[in-house]
Amino acid sequence: MDFGSTSSTLLEKLKSMYSNLEGLPPDRIVPTVGLNIGRIEAEKTKLVFWDLGGQAGLRTIWEKYYEEAHAVIFVIDAACPHRFEDSKSALEKILRHTDLQGAPLLILANKQDLSGAVSAEEVARYLDLKELDERSHVFLAVSAYDGLGIRDAIEWSVNEMERSKRTELLRLRAGITGPVPA
C-alpha cells in the first residue's frame, strides 16, 4: 500500500534509520507542500536534506535552494510510470540550472516494495537523460517504506560529495579549506 508522498516518506525513513528520532509512521505522512528539512549524520558526515514539494505549482521555489546544494537526490515513484514524463521534464530543468553544475546526482527509483514498481535500470532507460555525460550520477532502487537500498544510496552520496568539484567550490566560497570536520 502506498502511504504519503515519495520524498516525504523517504525523509522520514532516513531520520529513523540514522538518528535516535522515530520517523512518522507511513500512514501519517502527507506530501510535502513547500519545504521539509531533515538532518542526519551518516558516514561521519552531517547531512541536511531539503525535501522540496514536487507539485508543479511549487517547483518555482526549488531554485532558491540550488546555490547551496552539494548534491541532488531526485526521487521517482517507480510504481507510477504514467508520471515519468513529468519527472523527466522536471529533472532535465534541474540539470540545466547553472547553480547545480557539477553536483552529483542520485536518482532513486522508489517504492520497490510494490509489485508494480519498475527497476532502477528501467527508470534510467525511460528517462534517457542526455545531460549526465560529465556528471557523477547513479540510479538506485530503494523502498522508503521498508528501507531497502537506502544505506547504499546515502553511502554513495557521501562518497561522491567528498570528491565532488561542486563541494570543493562551495567550501572555497565559504572560506573552508582542508577536509570537512565530522
Side-chain angles (χ1 to χ4, degrees), residues 10-35:
L10 178 65
L11 186 57
E12 289 302 317
K13 182 55 91 173
L14 282 168
K15 287 192 265 184
S16 69
M17 289 174 71
Y18 286 93
S19 69
N20 293 328
L21 301 174
E22 189 174 322
L24 288 173
D27 62 346
R28 301 230 7 248
I29 299 170
V30 297
T32 300
V33 176
L35 171 68

Side-chain angles (χ1 to χ4, degrees), residues 29-56:
I29 299 170
V30 297
T32 300
V33 176
L35 171 68
N36 186 10
I37 298 174
R39 291 174 174 81
I40 66 168
E41 186 169 326
E43 309 284 320
K44 298 181 182 175
T45 303
K46 292 179 180 162
L47 302 172
V48 178
F49 294 88
W50 301 326
D51 172 16
L52 304 174
Q55 299 86 349

Side-chain angles (χ1 to χ4, degrees), residues 151-169:
R151 289 196 187 276
D152 290 339
I154 296 304
E155 183 178 324
W156 182 89
S157 297
V158 170
N159 290 335
E160 291 304 308
M161 284 187 292
E162 284 177 359
R163 59 178 173 248
S164 163
K165 289 181 181 178
R166 171 89 184 146
T167 297
E168 187 177 317
L169 170 75

Side-chain angles (χ1 to χ4, degrees), residues 76 80-89 91-92 118-130 139:
I76 293 181
C80 279
H82 68 277
R83 293 177 50 203
F84 287 179
E85 190 60 38
D86 185 45
S87 295
K88 179 178 180 174
S89 174
L91 183 55
E92 285 175 336
V118 301
S119 69
E121 293 79 15
E122 290 174 276
V123 170
R125 274 194 301 277
Y126 183 85
L127 293 181
D128 188 33
L129 298 168
K130 307 296 185 209
F139 287 80

Side-chain angles (χ1 to χ4, degrees), residues 45-71:
T45 303
K46 292 179 180 162
L47 302 172
V48 178
F49 294 88
W50 301 326
D51 172 16
L52 304 174
Q55 299 86 349
L58 297 174
R59 292 180 189 168
T60 56
I61 68 165
W62 288 4
E63 292 182 11
K64 296 177 189 321
Y65 300 93
Y66 292 172
E67 189 177 343
E68 298 301 318
H70 289 248

